[in-house]
């Protein structure tokens, strides 16, 4: 069967599963043999449906295929036999013995005799080997654990345990795309086509046909535009599905599959005894990590009658007569359908100064690039701003601790090259492998803050490669070298844990694999041998020959399911291949290399779909499933014969080494979007630097009274330990700040920024909660009276993207039924209840509470799908688990946190650590923790695997301040998933989650208004904060320095009093880092954006210059307001005009700066 036919079977399997044809699904799985549904197999074993179990297995393997298969069938038949004996059903036991077990007699006659003798025993547990046999349920569970290990180890199942990553309703999507295309080819396309069948191609009838057109809301095609244009390919208007997380398996079909041989499984002889209980405990049955359930369409009213909640899927499964179509958003696992998705545009050119030998992008901060060069230099670039954050030359940190061979080698020839440089998986460390003995590990703390961590004299000769791995959840460093060894080091202490010996030539590269329980290392040597090692001292497990038999590197696809290698022979022949791991054989060889490569070819993979290699003065790309070259680019020329290359994590940027010690950064459309915020900053910085004035330039603080409170580790994020009071920076220093889209300014006029008040609902008097939808084209609000409001932006001529904007007013949306999403409320005053809500990843459902039961609403229909958890206690905060929409953390007003599984309607854990109601919850998927905050001003960190409390800490409350009963503390994780923002009425603070250290803190002066709410921008570069005096401030997230203040006069109309109205909540756009919205105490919602379309805010940029008058000796300063060109001279004198020299200085300055007007002020 061809590859496309095989993929069609998977699409049909997905469709059948979505439509609940369960028996048909499993029948097709068995008959095709393409996908082994481990969850279905587990269920059938637990239920003892042995005939179905064996029938299902027969589609994938037979008894005599291999020793694993034989043992699988034997264990099943043995369990059937023992259960019959346990029930004293002798006739059934004899039947099983004769029909099922006798086949094994030819392999082990003695074993068959022992099994037969059990018929004569009143209790088979008297047999020593069966003495630990418990009841039927436990025996099946223990046997199942053994079966799973055997299946995962069986080569016949190797590529059949993982379902492909598919967006929901993929087959419907393809059909709908076909229908849309057929409609475009119609000679007389109708605006409302009449499509009644899929059996023949669609054609519209003649214009004068008597056939009546279908209504515009045809459920098959959805909304169609005017004839002649492609229809909008979205099923739910403005609500488009978001990319599914990676990897995205159909969790209802899969239980935690493994894609490589289980290291602990035995393929030895079958036996009589019960599988080891200890072994079963090491591999317990694990629930799905991303359980998926089907949600109804807007017509599925029967769902509302359910009395308990159901699971929430990452993508909405619609009813069969709806064929939603959406253009795929290129996420980490999205397949490339055309070469246009590749990063081919030269977006940056960097001058490194020496020849790059190795590069690696930060795993989280997508524009940070590490570079190691041929002279031992390491550099850290922010490719967005073109700024080299760090540059260090090679230096031995402790020469006395080095071995004598290394010291002698350095004396003889001090020249050292970087062979490899790489980030750790969490981006907190990076390692450098040098051409002389040494490995150096640095810790990264953000910005320019890089610190020495470990120096290891690792190998005799060169260290050829370095990688990070996490065996047993402990971070390790793996190195290989000229001394023919591979070594594993503890990343925390530098202690050596393993040394692998067995290669007969210098080891050229290592490729660790770690996923679940499967952890091993591939290594390649200069004689072309590939070996695999487990984390033990028992030697290599396998040995392959690499094509070319010389320099070879290996890499897995991002999801860990496919293995590739690329190498060059001594004769210059290059080979890029995919391996079949189970057989140690080459699966496919990619074509398109130069016949004789001039250097060793380097390669990389991205998005589980694309391979790239530097060859023949260009970069060549392949689709992983096609051996033919996809495309080749020369990056505008200037590349070496075999350039070094490296993708960033999401494949939107590609770093390529260039001639003359350069580095080119290539980008696709998403990469250009990623770099765009830095463009205006770069040119603005260039302009400001050129026009900087000679006097000392002072940072004014721009209005709002503030002070940065010193903290013990205040410099941990960016190395800046200064407080705002003692800072008098130069303007060139300020221009390096990345957070300059909202410029340092005071905004007083509506003309100085774009702001829009959204259409109002007369029944709403106060906005309590506010959030953008994940797609960025709508805003959802929860009012104090338990009513939800939804504003949607439509795609039109004024708003081509359909995203939220302050330029176009949205529609206050309601379904045709006219119903409102209204929470359940208690008999008490709902105005004092604590409202909360959380939105599903695909924007289809919202979970919400306002002091009563928690409600689940369909965002398309506004219908209440279900309610659960009646008060008391009432829910006060809701947060979805980042990997499983069925798991919800619910903060309660009794100070507890309940971990609730929606699918099974069960509280899995109840966390206690706070003394007052819960006011904030935030998950980190990187650290696997939940951070909670409460009205007790305490922060707690919980492990999200076992839900144990790891750390807790109380906020530092400034002297003279008193906590009120209504004080809220909110938490939100930074984009790096390591630091998080803490928002309290008395302070903003940045904490590090692992040690729970406060690394930055900002506290308003006692006379200033309290903070009502704050949030990160979508890129975590800015913090938007609202205050009770109705001001809104923009801070730089890196140092909590005030960038901009928006006064109420800039967005309040004349009839609104800022003494009675103020923002209660603030939210940031999920894709536009410079857009945010506030919800007001009068029921209004305002959207804010910088004034200029390119995103740079110039309205009232303030440049301050301090000086002393040489005549009156008074300290003076002037402020230059860049937008309205107004110059203010500030003196401490009561009569500033009495000094003629000060007056003359003002005239000179205003003339030089070409101000329209100027004035003195005391």
């Amino acid at each position: 069967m061809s590859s496309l036919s095989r993929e069609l079977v998977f699409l049909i399997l997905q469709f059948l599963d979505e439509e609940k044809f369960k028996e048909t699904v499993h029948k097709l799985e068995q008959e095709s043999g393409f996908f082994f549904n481990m969850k279905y197999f587990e269920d059938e074993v637990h239920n003892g449906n042995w005939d179905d179990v064996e029938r299902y297995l027969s589609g994938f393997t037979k008894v005599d295929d291999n020793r694993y298969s034989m043992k699988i069938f034997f264990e099943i038949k043995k369990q059937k036999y023992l259960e019959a004996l346990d029930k004293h059903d002798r006739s059934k036991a004899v039947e099983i013995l004769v029909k099922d077990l006798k086949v094994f007699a030819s392999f082990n006659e003695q074993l068959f005799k022992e099994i037969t003798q059990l018929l004569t025993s009143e209790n088979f547990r008297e047999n020593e080997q069966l003495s630990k046999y418990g009841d039927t349920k436990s025996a099946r569970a223990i046997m199942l654990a053994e079966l799973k290990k055997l299946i995962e180890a069986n080569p016949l199942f190797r590529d059949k345990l993982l379902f492909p990553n598919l967006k929901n309703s993929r087959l419907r999507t393809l059909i709908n795309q076909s229908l849309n295309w057929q409609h475009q080819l119609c000679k007389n396309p109708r605006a409302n086509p009449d499509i009644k069948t899929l059996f023949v191609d669609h054609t519209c009838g003649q214009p004068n046909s008597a056939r009546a057109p279908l209504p515009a809301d045809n459920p098959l095609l959805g909304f169609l535009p005017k004839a002649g244009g492609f229809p909008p390919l979205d099923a739910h208007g403005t609500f488009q599905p978001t990319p599914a997380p990676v990897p995205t398996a159909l969790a209802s079909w899969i239980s935690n599959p493994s894609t490589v041989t289980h290291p602990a499984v035995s393929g030895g002889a079958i036996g009589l005894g019960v599988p080891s209980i200890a072994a079963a405990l090491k591999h317990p049955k694990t629930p799905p990590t991303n359980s998926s359930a089907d949600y109804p369409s807007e017509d599925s009213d029967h769902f509302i009658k359910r009395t308990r909640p159901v699971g929430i899927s990452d993508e909405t499964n619609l009813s069969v007569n709806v064929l939603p179509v959406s253009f795929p958003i290129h996420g980490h696992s999205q397949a490339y359908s055309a070469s246009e998705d590749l990063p081919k545009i030269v977006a940056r050119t960097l001058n490194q100064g020496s020849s790059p030998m190795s590069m690696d992008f930060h795993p989280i901060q997508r524009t940070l690039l590490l570079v190691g060069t041929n002279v031992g230099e390491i550099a850290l670039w922010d490719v967005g701003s073109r700024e080299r954050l760090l540059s260090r030359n090679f230096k031995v940190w402790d020469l006395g601790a080095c071995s004598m061979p290394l010291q002698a080698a350095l004396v003889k020839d001090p020249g050292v090259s970087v062979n490899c440089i790489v980030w750790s998986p969490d981006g907190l460390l990076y390692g450098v492998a040098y051409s002389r003995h040494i490995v150096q590990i640095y810790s990264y703390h953000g910005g320019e803050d890089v610190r020495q961590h470990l120096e290891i004299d690792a190998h005799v000769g060169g260290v050829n490669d370095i990688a990070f791995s996490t065996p047993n959840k402990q971070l390790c460093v793996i190195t290989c070298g000229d001394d023919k060894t591979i070594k594993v080091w503890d990343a925390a202490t530098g202690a050596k844990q393993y040394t692998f010996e067995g290669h007969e030539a210098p080891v050229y590269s290592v490729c660790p694999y770690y996923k679940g329980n499967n952890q091993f290392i591939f290594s390649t040597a200069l004689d072309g041998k590939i070996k695999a090692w487990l984390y033990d001292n028992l030697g290599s497990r396998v040995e392959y020959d690499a094509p070319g038999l010389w320099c070879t590197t290996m890499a897995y696809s991002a999801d860990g399911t496919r293995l590739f290698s690329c190498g060059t022979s001594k004769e210059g022949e290059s080979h890029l291949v995919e391996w079949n791991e189970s057989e140690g054989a080459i699966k496919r060889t990619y074509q398109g290399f130069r016949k004789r490569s001039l250097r060793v070819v380097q390669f990389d993979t991205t998005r589980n779909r694309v391979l790239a290699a530097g060859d023949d003065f260009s970069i060549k790309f392949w689709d992983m499933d096609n051996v033919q070259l996809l495309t080749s680019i020369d990056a505008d020329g200037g590349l070496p014969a075999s350039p070094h290359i490296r993708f960033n994590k999401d494949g939107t940027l590609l770093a390529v080494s260039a001639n003359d010690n350069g580095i080119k950064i290539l980008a696709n459309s998403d990469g250009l979007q990623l770099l765009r915020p830095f463009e205006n900053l770069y040119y603005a910085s260039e302009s400001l630097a050129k026009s900087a004035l000679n006097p000392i330039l002072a940072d004014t603080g721009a209005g709002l009274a503030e002070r940065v409170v010193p903290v013990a580790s205040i410099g941990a994020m960016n190395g800046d330990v200064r407080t705002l009071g003692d800072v008098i920076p130069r303007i060139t220093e300020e221009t390096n700040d990345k957070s300059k889209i909202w410029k340092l300014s005071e905004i007083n006029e509506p003309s100085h920024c774009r702001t829009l008040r959204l259409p109002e609902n007369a029944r709403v008097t106060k906005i309590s909660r506010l959030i953008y939808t994940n797609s960025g084209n709508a805003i959802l609000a929860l009012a104090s009276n338990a009513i939800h409001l939804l504003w949607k932006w439509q795609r039109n001529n004024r708003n081509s993207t359909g995203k939220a904007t302050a330029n176009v007013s949205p529609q206050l949306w309601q379904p045709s039924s006219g119903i409102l999403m209204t929470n359940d409320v208690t008999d008490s005053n709902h105005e004092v209840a604590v409202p909360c809500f959380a939105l599903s990843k695909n924007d289809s459902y919202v979970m919400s509470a306002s002091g009563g039961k928690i409600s689940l609403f369909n965002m398309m229909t506004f219908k209440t799908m279900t309610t659960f958890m009646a008060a008391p206690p009432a829910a006060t905060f809701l947060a979805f688990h980042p990997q499983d929409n069925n798991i919800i953390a619910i903060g309660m007003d009794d100070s507890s946190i309940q971990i609730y599984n929606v699918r099974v309607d069960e509280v899995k854990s109840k966390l206690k650590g706070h003394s007052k109601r819960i006011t904030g919850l935030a998950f980190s998927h990187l650290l696997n923790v939940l951070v909670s905050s409460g009205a007790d001003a305490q922060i707690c960190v919980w492990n999200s695997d076992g839900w144990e409390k790891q750390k807790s800490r109380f906020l530092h409350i400034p002297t003279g301040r008193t906590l009120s009963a209504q004080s809220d503390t909110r938490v939100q994780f930074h984009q790096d998933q390591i630091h998080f923002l803490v928002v309290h009425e008395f302070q903003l603070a940045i904490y590090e989650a692992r040690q729970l250290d406060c690394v930055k803190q900002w506290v308003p002066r006692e006379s200033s208004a309290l903070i009502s709410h704050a949030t990160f921008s979508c890129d975590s570069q800015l913090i938007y904060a609202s205050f009770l005096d109705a001001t809104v401030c923009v801070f730089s997230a890196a140092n909590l320095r005030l960038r901009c203040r928006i006064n109420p006069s800039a967005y309040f109309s004349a009839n609104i009093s800022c003494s009675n109205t103020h923002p209660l909540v603030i939210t940031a756009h999920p894709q536009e880092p410079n857009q945010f919205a506030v919800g007001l105490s009068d029921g209004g919602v305002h959207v804010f954006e910088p004034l200029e379309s390119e995103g740079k805010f110039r309205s009232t940029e303030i440049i301050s210059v301090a000086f002393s008058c040489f005549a009156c000796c008074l300290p003076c300063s002037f402020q230059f307001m860049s937008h309205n060109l107004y110059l203010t001279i500030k003196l401490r004198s009561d009569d500033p005009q009495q000094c003629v020299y000060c007056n003359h200085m003002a005239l000179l300055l205003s003339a030089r700066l070409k101000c329209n007007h100027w004035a003195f002020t005391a």
Side-chain angles (χ1 to χ4, degrees), residues 1-141:
M1 183 177 286
S2 69
S3 175
L4 288 179
S5 297
R6 187 174 186 271
E7 291 182 0
L8 179 59
V9 172
F10 282 110
L11 295 178
I12 295 171
L13 284 172
Q14 182 195 41
F15 174 80
L16 292 173
D17 182 72
E18 290 171 344
E19 299 308 315
K20 309 300 184 190
F21 295 110
K22 296 299 184 182
E23 292 184 7
T24 309
V25 167
H26 304 314
K27 184 67 174 177
L28 181 56
E29 291 167 355
Q30 180 239 320
E31 289 187 347
S32 68
F34 290 159
F35 171 63
F36 185 83
N37 190 331
M38 186 67 82
K39 185 177 186 304
Y40 168 71
F41 179 77
E42 290 177 6
D43 292 339
E44 294 303 298
V45 170
H46 279 300
N47 295 330
N49 299 327
W50 303 118
D51 291 342
D52 292 338
V53 168
E54 292 184 40
R55 188 182 304 111
Y56 190 72
L57 275 171
S58 67
F60 302 88
T61 185
K62 300 294 186 290
V63 173
D64 55 354
D65 280 345
N66 56 43
R67 66 181 187 273
Y68 299 103
S69 299
M70 182 182 297
K71 198 168 182 180
I72 290 169
F73 279 98
F74 175 77
E75 292 294 336
I76 293 171
K77 295 176 188 296
K78 183 185 74 174
Q79 181 64 28
K80 288 169 56 179
Y81 180 65
L82 294 178
E83 289 184 16
L85 290 176
D86 205 24
K87 296 176 181 177
H88 302 288
D89 189 347
R90 301 289 176 180
S91 60
K92 181 68 174 177
V94 170
E95 179 184 356
I96 296 171
L97 183 67
V98 173
K99 290 185 177 180
D100 294 336
L101 289 171
K102 192 172 182 178
V103 67
F104 299 99
S106 61
F107 302 104
N108 192 330
E109 186 175 353
Q110 181 61 35
L111 175 63
F112 182 74
K113 288 180 180 180
E114 292 181 20
I115 293 174
T116 304
Q117 289 173 1
L118 295 177
L119 286 169
T120 64
S121 175
E122 282 296 318
N123 185 355
F124 63 80
R125 293 175 180 82
E126 293 174 357
N127 185 295
E128 183 179 353
Q129 296 183 62
L130 297 172
S131 59
K132 295 183 179 180
Y133 187 99
D135 58 12
T136 299
K137 183 177 180 181
S138 62
R140 288 176 181 175

Side-chain angles (χ1 to χ4, degrees), residues 185-213:
L185 297 179
C186 291
K187 293 182 179 180
N188 301 291
R190 293 184 178 183
N192 301 306
D194 186 4
I195 299 177
K196 295 183 177 180
T197 180
L198 298 177
F199 292 165
V200 296
D201 288 350
H202 160 72
T203 56
C204 289
Q206 296 299 318
N208 296 325
S209 172
R211 187 169 44 179

Side-chain angles (χ1 to χ4, degrees), residues 1007-1023:
S1007 58
S1008 302
L1010 298 179
I1011 302 166
S1012 61
H1013 202 253
T1015 186
F1016 276 123
S1017 61
C1018 65
D1019 60 1
S1020 298
Q1021 299 299 304
L1022 301 172
I1023 295 173

Side-chain angles (χ1 to χ4, degrees), residues 638-867:
L639 300 185
S642 299
H644 296 269
I645 63 172
R646 180 65 67 191
F647 285 104
N648 70 346
K649 185 175 182 180
D650 56 8
T652 57
L653 301 177
L654 177 64
V656 183
S657 63
N659 292 332
D660 301 322
N661 303 327
I663 301 171
K664 294 191 177 186
I665 306 299
L666 279 57
N668 62 9
S669 57
D670 291 335
L672 293 175
Q673 185 73 21
L674 176 66
L675 299 176
R676 187 165 296 147
F678 298 97
E679 286 289 348
N680 296 316
L681 171 64
Y682 174 73
Y683 293 114
S685 299
E686 290 285 302
S687 176
L688 275 173
K690 292 176 181 177
S691 60
L693 299 174
N694 290 328
I696 297 175
L697 301 176
D699 185 356
T700 64
L704 186 67
E706 60 180 87
R707 56 192 176 95
V708 176
V709 179
V711 182
S713 57
I714 201 165
M717 288 184 73
N718 63 356
D720 183 2
V721 296
R722 301 168 298 175
T723 62
L724 194 60
D726 59 14
V727 173
I728 306 180
R730 299 181 183 275
I731 197 161
T732 53
E733 176 185 341
E734 286 300 308
T735 58
N736 289 330
D737 194 323
K738 308 296 185 303
S739 306
K740 285 212 163 182
I741 305 303
W742 288 91
K743 290 289 186 177
L744 182 59
S745 53
E746 187 94 8
I747 300 177
N748 297 303
E749 300 296 331
S751 60
H752 293 167
C753 71
R754 291 201 301 265
T755 179
L756 173 69
R757 186 174 177 108
L758 305 188
E760 299 180 29
N761 184 308
R763 297 174 58 184
V764 171
T765 58
K766 184 167 68 174
I767 301 297
S768 299
R769 295 292 179 263
L770 194 68
I771 191 173
Y772 282 90
T773 59
N774 294 297
S775 60
N777 52 22
I779 290 178
L780 178 67
L782 174 57
S784 60
N785 61 356
I787 293 176
H788 297 77
L789 302 177
L790 181 65
W791 291 271
K792 289 185 180 181
W793 275 261
Q794 303 296 327
R795 186 181 286 108
N796 52 40
N797 292 335
R798 295 183 60 199
N799 185 18
S800 59
T801 65
K803 301 293 185 183
T805 175
N807 287 329
V808 179
S809 182
Q811 175 190 4
L812 181 56
W813 194 84
Q814 268 188 285
S816 56
S817 62
I819 64 174
L820 294 172
M821 287 190 291
T822 305
N823 279 335
D824 173 71
V825 294
T826 60
D827 295 335
S828 59
N829 183 5
H830 58 74
E831 290 287 340
V832 299
V834 179
C836 55
F837 64 15
L839 194 60
S840 67
K841 296 174 187 174
N842 61 348
D843 296 332
S844 294
Y845 301 91
V846 62
M847 196 163 286
S848 183
S850 295
K853 294 180 181 179
I854 299 174
S855 300
L856 179 67
F857 296 99
N858 184 314
M859 288 277 283
M860 291 173 57
T861 65
F862 284 13
K863 292 178 181 178
T864 304
M865 312 308 291
T866 188
T867 59

